[in-house]
Amino acid sequence: MAGSDEIGRRRLLQAFGLTATAGTAAMMSADPVLGASLGYDESVGVSPATYTAPAGLAQASDAKSAALAWIGEHTAEITALSDDIWGHAELSLREWKSSLAVAALLRRYGFSISWGAAGLPATFVATYGSGGPVLGFNAEYDALPGLSQKSGVGTHDPLVYNYDAYGPTYGVGHGDAHNLLGAGSTAAAIAVSQAIRTQGLKATVKVFGTTGEEQLVGKPYMVKAGVYDGLDAFLDWHPFGSTLAFWNTTSALSSATFTFLGAAGHGANPLGNKSGLDGALLMATMSEYLREKNVAASGRFHYAIINGGGAPNVTPDMCSIWYFIREGSPARVQVLYDKIVACAQAAAQASQTKLAHKFHSATWNSLGNKAGAELVNDNMRAIGAPVFTDDDQALAKSVQRALGKPEAGLPTTVTALTPPAAAFGGGISTDTADVSWHVPTATALVTTFPTGVPNHNWGVTAVSATNIGHQGLLSAARYLAATAVDLITQPDLLAGLTQEFQDRTAGVQWASMIPDGTQPPMYEPPASFLAATGQTWPPAGITWPVPEVVATEQLGTTGPALPPVT
């Protein structure tokens, strides 16, 4: 009888339209991107059943001690930055105060700042040092709508509650803990810069302050513009419910809005009105029928209605529905995307509305790097997992209890490193994925919120400005800084990351999923932000104001007037 790993592999092959006996070589031929990210490990003999993570990669050194010492001596400064970002809670593409705060700390420690990467105002590239290997760090700091929550409160209690008699809403909150992500990566980069300075190392550190990660906007446009060119390695982390290194893949994604334009009228006399909301609801209904027969287990699409009308007695003449479409590779996303577009076209025809289709952004699935994950893992084991207090555990359990999850608290160990699962069942996306196809990328997940609590939940917001979040971000900073120092002081390790990257990408030609000429989603910054960053508005190549989308459809008719029936 076949083992569970083999059964999983067969299901994977079936899910991707291949026979159960096709094997990894056939999968790599059918979809080279999946082959590089998912089939590569099996092709070189890496098996979850026999894998053992190597030890002895992470080496003690004066440079590493200097980096870790800086973090230990500046914990208050690091956590204050994180809490500052948490308090700003700025939405994607509007992280004006948060980006200024991150850039200010980097400038204080000798980094030069270049604003407006790829024409996105809230982005920057911060640079320290010269020569040697060029190492990049990822910083992002956008929050999410509707996830406002009071810090340290273990039951749902929004910090910002927007009253409306007919439909109250919650404010913005850091339900993905990007306040911790931005501060942790920034601290790691500064720590490495201090090691470079005090130990006389030859290396260059770059921090990429990005925008709109939650909307998968910033990095895909930055990569397409060449902002990440010239790096030797890229180090990233994300807040999570446990602590581990990994080299798994993620889902590729496309983002688009479909706006239905009709003719408004009184809801009590609807004949002849043309409802944009009808178009959006029809599209949603039709797309749901795709799921059974047109979406593999690895596929996802989900949506939000943006402007469904302000009152029941007004037929809305405009309504937009925003889709995220995910699959295991760009080619597979495109297949599903085309089917979603067909639903939109049919919905417009059925509702007698006009369709305006706006593509926003897209990103590849991520490319893992086993050598990078192994180095991160070894540093995690050497440094240890985040340490939490009894009060931390009590808060974590209260959040778990409020959400109906087992009261397991917070993990206190590093999760063992394991190869990617034999089957890819779909899931999250990250715009770091496009970076990973240009430079070897090492990624860590670090405990910053309770086990069992999902990302994008008020429970994450609740702990992201507490000691729980602080301990997680400080641990993440140590892991990334230690890994970066190893890459600088042990050239063979960096060469190993590079060789694996070249082997994985052989035969795969990266091409941006964003069509040439696409203008990214954009908001005009405050004048004070432009002045502080030395930018002008609009950026080069950006059309502003954006052309308006206005409903100009005529009211419908029920036909010629007929005499009354007597």
Side-chain angles (χ1 to χ4, degrees):
M1 180 177 178
S4 60
D5 286 339
E6 176 61 19
I7 293 171
R9 188 180 71 84
R10 291 178 183 176
R11 289 174 179 165
L12 166 70
L13 296 172
Q14 291 168 341
F16 286 105
L18 301 168
T19 67
T21 57
T24 301
M27 181 178 71
M28 296 176 81
S29 175
D31 193 333
V33 173
L34 271 176
S37 54
L38 192 64
Y40 174 83
D41 294 300
E42 186 177 340
S43 72
V44 296
V46 177
S47 167
T50 59
Y51 175 79
T52 300
L57 302 174
Q59 295 292 311
S61 65
D62 291 341
K64 185 179 291 186
S65 296
L68 298 179
W70 184 90
I71 295 170
E73 293 163 2
H74 292 80
T75 58
E77 191 173 27
I78 297 165
T79 57
L81 173 63
S82 175
D83 290 353
D84 188 25
I85 298 170
W86 188 93
H88 295 318
E90 294 171 300
L91 287 169
S92 292
L93 305 173
R94 287 156 279 184
E95 310 96 326
W96 318 124
K97 296 176 182 178
S98 301
S99 61
L100 284 171
V102 174
L105 185 61
L106 287 162
R107 188 180 293 109
R108 189 181 310 159
Y109 286 96
F111 283 75
S112 62
I113 310 291
S114 176
W115 285 95
L120 297 161
T123 65
F124 65 81
V125 179
T127 305
Y128 183 96
S130 62
V134 183
L135 305 182
F137 291 83
N138 174 47
E140 53 205 48
Y141 21 76
D142 50 340
L144 288 159
L147 295 182
S148 177
Q149 169 68 18
K150 292 176 181 175
S151 178
V153 177
T155 57
H156 195 191
D157 189 1
L159 179 65
V160 177
Y161 179 91
N162 301 311
Y163 171 78
D164 183 277
Y166 297 103
T169 60
Y170 310 135
V172 179
H174 271 286
D176 208 19
H178 283 185
N179 61 304
L180 304 173
L181 195 166
S185 294
T186 299
I190 295 173
V192 176
S193 76
Q194 296 303 296
I196 291 172
R197 180 179 64 83
T198 61
Q199 304 301 312
L201 303 179
K202 291 295 292 182
T204 305
V205 177
K206 290 180 176 287
V207 178
F208 295 85
T210 63
T211 185
E213 192 283 334
E214 298 292 3
Q215 297 176 4
L216 287 299
V217 171
K219 298 181 198 69
Y221 283 92
M222 293 167 70
V223 170
K224 185 177 174 70
V227 175
Y228 292 87
D229 291 354
L231 291 177
D232 292 298
F234 190 70
L235 296 102
D236 192 18
W237 79 284
H238 203 283
F240 200 57
S242 55
T243 299
L244 68 153
F246 79 107
W247 73 90
N248 210 339
T249 190
T250 57
S251 295
L253 178 146
S254 283
S255 166
T257 295
F258 303 86
T259 299
F260 296 87
L261 303 169
H266 200 298
N269 299 292
L271 292 181
N273 298 349
K274 296 179 180 179
S275 171
L277 178 60
D278 285 355
L281 294 177
L282 283 167
M283 179 181 179
T285 300
M286 282 190 280
S287 66
E288 291 295 343
Y289 280 95
L290 291 176
R291 293 191 191 273
E292 181 181 8
K293 300 180 180 67
N294 291 269
V295 183
S298 53
R300 304 280 192 280
F301 62 82
H302 33 112
Y303 47 80
I305 293 177
I306 303 302
N307 47 351
N313 60 343
V314 179
T315 299
D317 65 357
M318 180 169 65
C319 184
S320 300
I321 184 167
W322 183 10
Y323 274 76
F324 276 5
I325 301 158
R326 308 180 198 252
E327 246 292 5
S329 70
R332 296 188 67 81
V333 166
Q334 190 61 52
V335 170
L336 185 52
Y337 186 93
D338 290 343
K339 294 176 181 179
I340 296 292
V341 171
C343 288
Q345 294 167 339
Q349 183 175 7
S351 61
Q352 301 179 63
T353 56
K354 181 180 178 180
L355 176 65
H357 170 199
K358 173 62 177 174
F359 175 91
H360 297 306
S361 187
T363 185
W364 282 42
N365 55 305
S366 58
L367 180 67
N369 191 285
K370 172 175 166 287
E374 289 173 339
L375 179 57
V376 172
N377 175 72
D378 208 31
N379 275 295
M380 284 180 164
R381 310 297 291 191
I383 294 169
V387 177
F388 301 108
T389 67
D390 290 343
D391 287 344
D392 295 337
Q393 295 290 357
L395 174 58
K397 290 176 182 178
S398 68
V399 172
Q400 290 164 333
R401 182 166 57 251
L403 290 169
K405 291 293 184 179
E407 295 179 36
L410 298 152
T412 57
T413 60
V414 175
T415 302
L417 181 65
T418 57
F424 176 62
I428 64 166
S429 303
T430 171
D431 66 359
T432 302
D434 274 10
V435 181
S436 72
W437 288 89
H438 284 74
V439 56
T441 299
T443 306
L445 301 176
V446 184
T447 302
T448 59
F449 54 84
T451 301
V453 174
N455 296 70
H456 297 198
N457 182 276
W458 66 262
V460 178
T461 312
V463 301
S464 291
T466 70
N467 189 62
I468 295 173
H470 294 166
Q471 293 307 312
L473 85 88
L474 292 170
S475 292
R478 294 183 181 105
Y479 302 150
L480 296 187
T483 299
V485 170
D486 281 330
L487 292 174
I488 295 169
T489 59
Q490 300 184 69
D492 288 349
L493 294 180
L494 181 57
L497 270 68
T498 303
Q499 186 61 58
E500 180 181 338
F501 173 80
Q502 293 172 347
D503 292 343
R504 284 181 181 268
T505 56
V508 178
Q509 181 63 50
W510 183 88
S512 175
M513 295 173 68
I514 301 170
D516 291 343
T518 302
Q519 178 164 308
M522 191 76 70
Y523 295 92
E524 183 173 359
S528 59
F529 178 85
L530 292 172
T533 59
Q535 299 183 74
T536 58
W537 187 260
I542 296 297
T543 299
W544 197 267
V546 175
E548 294 181 347
V549 179
V550 178
T552 58
E553 302 303 290
Q554 295 182 334
L555 289 164
T557 176
T558 56
L562 297 176
V565 176
T566 59

